[in-house]
Amino acid sequence: MTIIEHITENKQDAILWQSGKWLEAAEDPYAKAKAVESIGKLIFSIESELIRANYCETIATYPKFRQFKLKKAAINTAILQQLPTKEKLELPEPNRLPPWMNLEELDLKGFCTVEDKEGHRGYWTIEKSGKYRITNFTITPVFHVEGKGKDSRHIIEINNGRKKAIVDVQSNALLSVEQLGTEIVAEGNFIFFGTSIHIKRIASELLPHFHRCSEIKQPGWQRKGFFVYLDKVIVPGQKEAIIPDKYGVFPIGEKHYLIPASSEVYSNRDYDSDPYELQRALTSQKPKVSFSEWATLFCKTYTRGKGLVGISFAILCIFRDVVFAVNGNVPHLYGYGEKSSGKSQMAESLTYLFFKVKRTFALNAGTDFGFFSFMGAFRNCINHMNELDEKSLNDKWFQALKAAYDGEGRTRGVMGGQKNQIEVQHVDSPLVLTGQYLATKDDNSLVSRSLILPFSVIEHTDESFAALNTLKELQADGGLNGMLEELIHLRPLMEKTYYDEYTTLLASWRKGIGSKHYNQRMYQNWCHLSTLYKIVSKNIALPENWTTFDIYCQERADFYSQLMQSSDTLTAYWNIIAELNDNKV
């Protein structure tokens, strides 16, 4: 082998070779840091920023350097330390600059912003070879969505002089040419020509100008004290609604909040899958009738006490967190009966009180993701779970329906998140369950967690059909959820009086019936309905006086307590017979 062949076969990149020598000699963290500083100085000696960026990337991922666990950010910091703010540019004389470039801004920031309409729009800087275009667009800071890791996002407006676009990007994209470039090019002719050093210079100037806001992940009632529709916000006691701006942001006091589904970032676009399709159902609709008028019509449609139960359950949904705070649970509404008996129709009528479209989840179809996402989409609204059949329902979903009574959702790991990072999908809206048969598995576990309503075809009358048609006309007109504001404004009263009213009423029920047929869950469930009806009826005219409805609720609680007791006895009897048979006794 000749000397030339030997050199050709064994030659190495000088910068990688020298970097390796420095790192191999570093025996402690301090020495390793000094080695990284030396690598930064070496790379900085290269004139081309593009080549410098490539070496930074290569050294951080070089297979032979994996043992040193280098981070790209550390190498990049070492390079940037060689760039004193006012010495990083060899500034030309002012008369050598194009008239559209600002020498003072160049000196201060390391780049200048050009906003003319003559083809120069973007960010520019000076290199040894002359003027250098960093981007063909400018960025206007909008909002910083607070969060940790991937939940932290920045909303920016980009403008290339011909088109503007609102873009929602992860915060770390503002420091990455590749990530930001990928996000913005999807909007059109928005190109980043610069390097990582350029993007950091620009980001350092933009970041202080972002207003901070918190994301509304579950529209509906918020713990901070307001109700969020997609297009307006209701604060109890405040006459005028708050309207989000074009970015989906609105203020409450000194704090700002973001409704992503209301933002221009996601509106009026052609998505194969709209990420906020579920939430758009809570767009507010102006009703043509009052809550009192709707309640009267609802009772004419659903007779024999069902209408009053439905009205009270709607009230329970709006004040779900107030009810939950008493015992740590909230009952489901469970309608069962033959086909065409009206159970699903009643559930749909209730959902139209909250949403502008029919919103139902079929329990005989769908995925785990769809199931849990549906139940956790809103706070203090309503979830209709249709086609409940314990024979075909997978046990995971059955257990989830039980757990929803106690406010328990699903806990899962976050893909791509930090180690041990988890996400909890909460169930913060009550459930309406409908099916042909009553699910009695697990010792009536679902029955005991529900307000049971049996339905029958023979209950329908000409008057109820006429009322139903009128109700459907109101629903078809775009929904009725504007009426919820009447209830929302009763929030301070409900928070102040509910606990005392409920506990006093339940104590009087217990005193009246003793312990003969008492089932605690069943009595608590029906007592919630009676208490809610009592408080609201003092402020909004409802179809029946409270005393009559209270008697009805007590009777239902007693009836289903007896039913469960009889069912438990019968179940025990047949278990004994089965065991005797198995043992051939």
Side-chain angles (χ1 to χ4, degrees):
M1 179 184 292
T2 65
I3 293 177
I4 298 299
E5 290 174 336
H6 177 78
I7 293 174
T8 301
E9 183 176 335
N10 294 280
K11 68 180 179 180
Q12 299 179 45
D13 182 278
I15 291 179
L16 297 180
W17 177 82
Q18 181 60 69
S19 298
K21 289 293 183 183
W22 282 328
L23 290 168
E24 288 170 359
E27 297 180 351
D28 55 62
Y30 177 79
K32 181 179 176 181
K34 299 300 290 185
V36 173
E37 283 187 1
S38 299
I39 293 172
K41 290 180 181 178
L42 180 61
I43 295 175
F44 180 71
S45 65
I46 301 171
E47 289 189 6
S48 170
E49 287 197 31
L50 181 60
I51 296 176
R52 290 203 295 262
N54 284 339
Y55 267 112
C56 180
E57 179 75 33
T58 300
I59 290 175
T61 58
Y62 196 46
K64 292 183 179 180
F65 294 169
R66 284 176 182 167
Q67 59 180 312
F68 304 116
K69 299 181 180 179
L70 292 177
K71 293 187 179 297
K72 181 180 174 181
I75 302 171
N76 204 35
T77 298
I79 297 172
L80 290 175
Q81 286 177 347
Q82 316 307 315
L83 293 169
T85 303
K86 292 195 175 183
E87 297 177 10
K88 60 192 172 189
L89 298 175
E90 296 181 9
L91 297 175
E93 296 297 325
N95 57 9
R96 291 179 55 200
L97 275 178
W100 38 267
M101 291 185 71
N102 186 301
L103 179 63
E104 184 178 346
E105 187 181 4
L106 276 170
D107 187 25
L108 180 65
K109 301 178 181 178
F111 67 92
C112 67
T113 305
V114 180
E115 296 183 341
D116 68 24
K117 298 180 180 179
E118 299 177 3
H120 302 124
R121 178 178 285 271
Y123 297 116
W124 291 76
T125 189
I126 294 294
E127 300 286 344
K128 290 183 178 179
S129 57
K131 62 182 182 295
Y132 180 86
R133 185 173 212 159
I134 302 173
T135 71
N136 70 342
F137 62 91
T138 55
I139 300 174
T140 301
V142 181
F143 280 95
H144 172 206
V145 183
E146 298 173 328
K148 294 182 179 180
K150 292 185 178 181
D151 287 336
S152 177
R153 309 195 313 279
H154 281 74
I155 300 175
I156 59 176
E157 181 179 88
I158 53 178
N159 183 358
N160 63 13
R162 294 172 295 278
K163 180 183 177 181
K164 292 182 179 180
I166 308 295
V167 186
D168 186 342
V169 299
Q170 289 185 4
S171 296
N172 56 9
L174 294 180
L175 300 178
S176 168
V177 175
E178 292 182 358
Q179 282 184 265
L180 184 61
T182 300
E183 294 283 355
I184 61 178
V185 76
E187 302 295 334
N189 184 21
F190 298 94
I191 308 297
F192 202 104
F193 304 102
T195 66
S196 60
I197 292 175
H198 291 134
I199 197 172
K200 287 179 174 64
R201 289 173 180 163
I202 295 171
S204 69
E205 295 297 325
L206 295 176
L207 288 172
H209 301 289
F210 283 91
H211 298 291
R212 299 174 72 86
C213 64
S214 297
E215 181 179 353
I216 301 294
K217 295 186 176 181
Q218 288 178 290
W221 179 255
Q222 305 300 307
R223 294 184 179 91
K224 296 294 184 180
F226 50 89
F227 190 92
V228 173
Y229 292 93
L230 267 290
D231 53 349
K232 69 179 180 182
V233 178
I234 304 299
V235 180
Q238 185 172 308
K239 186 176 181 181
E240 297 295 328
I242 299 173
I243 307 301
D245 63 19
K246 65 179 181 178
Y247 305 115
V249 174
F250 64 93
I252 297 287
E254 297 182 357
K255 193 169 180 62
H256 287 79
Y257 299 87
L258 166 70
I259 310 172
S262 298
S263 175
E264 285 187 358
V265 178
Y266 298 104
S267 64
N268 301 320
R269 296 193 180 188
D270 294 327
Y271 284 102
D272 290 335
S273 179
D274 182 353
Y276 297 103
E277 182 179 356
L278 284 175
Q279 294 186 357
R280 297 194 193 284
L282 195 57
T283 303
S284 67
Q285 305 296 310
K286 186 175 182 180
K288 292 186 177 181
V289 295
S290 66
F291 185 82
S292 179
E293 292 169 327
W294 171 84
T296 299
L297 183 62
F298 192 85
C299 279
K300 290 180 180 179
T301 304
Y302 304 103
T303 58
R304 301 191 181 185
K306 294 182 179 62
L308 295 174
V309 172
I311 294 166
S312 300
F313 190 78
I315 297 170
L316 180 147
C317 292
I318 283 292
F319 300 114
R320 183 257 178 202
D321 59 312
V322 176
V323 173
F324 184 83
V326 178
N327 299 312
N329 54 59
V330 173
H332 312 320
L333 180 62
Y334 189 171
Y336 75 98
E338 58 193 310
K339 292 182 179 179
S340 302
S341 57
K343 56 189 183 300
S344 298
Q345 184 64 60
M346 177 173 162
E348 289 176 14
S349 296
L350 289 173
T351 60
Y352 274 110
L353 182 62
F354 290 82
F355 306 110
K356 69 173 185 175
V357 295
K358 176 182 175 181
R359 185 173 181 272
T360 299
F361 186 88
L363 290 169
N364 57 0
T367 63
D368 284 353
F369 178 81
F371 174 78
F372 288 102
S373 296
F374 183 90
M375 290 202 298
F378 301 98
R379 299 191 79 245
N380 287 26
C381 291
I382 197 169
N383 291 319
H384 177 202
M385 318 301 287
N386 198 17
E387 304 297 345
L388 174 57
D389 185 346
E390 65 180 25
K391 295 179 181 178
S392 59
L393 182 67
N394 76 61
D395 190 62
K396 183 197 298 184
W397 289 11
F398 183 84
Q399 299 303 326
L401 295 179
K402 287 169 50 180
Y405 171 80
D406 299 302
E408 298 173 8
R410 178 173 71 158
T411 301
R412 62 179 184 177
V414 179
M415 293 183 63
Q418 299 175 353
K419 185 178 180 180
N420 298 326
Q421 186 176 352
I422 62 172
E423 175 185 66
V424 180
Q425 289 182 293
H426 297 282
V427 181
D428 293 319
S429 290
L431 309 184
V432 180
L433 310 174
T434 52
Q436 289 189 50
Y437 309 103
L438 200 60
T440 58
K441 66 185 290 186
D442 288 0
D443 297 327
N444 291 300
S445 57
L446 202 54
V447 172
S448 68
R449 290 166 168 81
S450 303
L451 302 154
I452 306 299
L453 286 182
F455 283 77
S456 173
V457 174
I458 63 173
E459 295 177 5
H460 302 321
T461 64
D462 291 341
E463 183 182 7
S464 66
F465 275 121
L468 176 61
N469 290 333
T470 304
L471 193 60
K472 285 183 174 181
E473 289 175 5
L474 293 174
Q475 293 167 179
D477 204 29
L480 302 161
N481 61 21
M483 291 187 301
L484 297 178
E485 295 181 35
E486 296 182 48
L487 297 175
I488 293 169
H489 287 298
L490 295 179
R491 177 84 189 192
L493 173 66
M494 194 64 69
E495 290 178 342
K496 181 180 179 181
T497 63
Y498 188 78
Y499 180 83
D500 290 340
E501 291 277 7
Y502 169 81
T503 53
T504 300
L505 182 61
L506 185 59
S508 70
W509 281 19
R510 286 174 178 166
K511 186 177 180 181
I513 58 109
S515 59
K516 185 178 180 181
H517 300 130
Y518 183 74
N519 178 282
Q520 181 170 315
R521 276 185 183 169
M522 200 59 70
Y523 269 81
Q524 287 176 348
N525 294 346
W526 286 96
C527 189
H528 281 308
L529 283 199
S530 182
T531 306
L532 290 162
Y533 194 95
K534 178 181 180 180
I535 296 174
V536 172
S537 64
K538 292 178 180 179
N539 297 272
I540 298 175
L542 297 180
E544 187 60 76
N545 66 71
W546 169 71
T547 303
T548 301
F549 183 59
D550 181 61
I551 294 171
Y552 174 85
C553 290
Q554 289 186 62
E555 290 175 347
R556 293 295 88 195
D558 186 63
F559 174 80
Y560 285 108
S561 291
Q562 292 185 55
L563 183 67
M564 289 186 63
Q565 188 179 69
S566 300
S567 177
D568 291 343
T569 302
L570 192 60
T571 299
Y573 171 79
W574 285 113
N575 286 340
I576 292 171
I577 295 297
E579 185 174 351
L580 293 173
N581 180 66
D582 290 342
N583 291 285
K584 303 187 184 303
V585 177

